């Protein structure tokens, strides 16, 4: 996976990476079945309130997420993309929060809706996905946002809530399969609704 081709304002790298991880976790069928197979229930993860290392957001996560940093050179300068990923065992789903800070001058001038529309377009283009639905939303403390749902050629569905807040673009995502989306609909909704931007003091 290369990140050089990825454009700013969109965490497409994690969409690719998480899709691979989700597929890798699909159980392989046993070679020989000796006894009647038993249906195992998905392990229910322990959901905890996670606070970002810089204290700028909180969200409910299924355990402690792994953290990665991507560096991308853009027309605005170098951007650091912070990525937090949690994947419950035996479930084909990934819960992701990503954000990038804008250079100060760009953050002051940029129109939030233009940023959100650009992020939507780049998410669809880079992941080669089809848009299912979109709507304008606001964060719990009234920052502008957009929710988009899209599906890629492999059948992975992403629900992505994006917010522009205090010079930063947040993306809160759940990536899963059609089957898992139906069974985890309430869980995914609760996860997305739990995201909270913590204002600077």
């Amino acid at each position: 996976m290369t990140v050089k081709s990825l454009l700013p304002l969109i965490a497409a790298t994690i969409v690719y990476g998480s899709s691979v991880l989700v597929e890798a976790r699909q159980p392989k069928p046993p070679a020989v079945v000796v006894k009647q197979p038993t249906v195992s229930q998905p392990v229910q993860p322990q959901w905890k309130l996670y606070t970002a290392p810089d204290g700028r957001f909180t969200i409910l996560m299924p355990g402690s997420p792994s953290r990665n940093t991507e560096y991308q050179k853009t027309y605005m300068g170098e951007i650091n993309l912070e990525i937090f990923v949690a994947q419950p065992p035996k479930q084909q789903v990934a819960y992701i929060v990503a954000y990038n800070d804008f250079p100060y001058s760009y953050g002051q001038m940029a129109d939030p809706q233009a940023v959100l529309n650009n992020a939507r377009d780049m998410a669809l283009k880079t992941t080669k996905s089809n848009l299912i639905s979109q709507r304008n939303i606001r964060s719990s403390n009234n920052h502008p946002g957009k929710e988009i749902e899209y599906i890629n050629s492999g059948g992975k569905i992403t629900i992505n809530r994006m917010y522009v807040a205090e010079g930063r673009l947040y993306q809160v995502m759940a990536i899963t399969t059609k089957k898992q989306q139906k069974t985890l609909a309430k869980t995914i909704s609760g996860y997305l609704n739990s995201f909270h931007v913590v204002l600077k003091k």
Side-chain angles (χ1 to χ4, degrees), residues 129-147:
S129 296
N130 293 319
L131 184 67
I132 298 172
S133 65
Q134 64 176 326
R135 65 188 178 103
N136 291 328
I137 55 176
R138 308 291 291 190
S139 71
S140 57
N141 37 28
N142 211 35
H143 290 104
K146 185 180 290 292
E147 179 186 280

Side-chain angles (χ1 to χ4, degrees), residues 48-168:
K48 303 174 183 176
L49 186 66
Y50 178 76
T51 302
D54 65 358
R56 296 274 300 277
F57 73 84
T58 61
I59 191 169
L60 286 173
M61 279 280 198
S64 297
S66 60
R67 180 185 181 186
N68 298 287
T69 302
E70 298 278 358
Y71 298 96
Q72 298 180 5
K73 289 185 178 180
T74 75
Y75 63 91
M76 297 179 293
E78 189 171 73
I79 283 180
N80 296 351
L81 185 65
E82 297 291 339
I83 306 163
F84 304 85
V85 182
Q87 286 188 284
K90 298 183 180 180
Q91 290 186 18
Q92 298 172 39
V93 62
Y95 299 99
I96 303 159
V97 178
Y99 70 79
N100 62 268
D101 290 310
F102 302 119
Y104 180 77
S105 58
Y106 181 84
Q108 293 296 305
M109 295 185 298
D111 172 48
Q113 285 303 322
V115 172
L116 293 167
N117 289 339
N118 187 37
R120 173 202 61 205
D121 295 344
M122 290 312 305
L124 297 174
K125 180 180 178 181
T126 312
T127 61
K128 298 178 181 178
S129 296
N130 293 319
L131 184 67
I132 298 172
S133 65
Q134 64 176 326
R135 65 188 178 103
N136 291 328
I137 55 176
R138 308 291 291 190
S139 71
S140 57
N141 37 28
N142 211 35
H143 290 104
K146 185 180 290 292
E147 179 186 280
I148 58 174
E149 183 176 349
Y150 49 93
I151 185 168
N152 69 8
S153 58
K156 293 291 184 297
I157 295 175
T158 300
I159 300 176
N160 183 350
R161 288 187 182 176
M162 305 175 290
Y163 303 96
V164 175
E166 299 184 321
R168 178 177 285 186

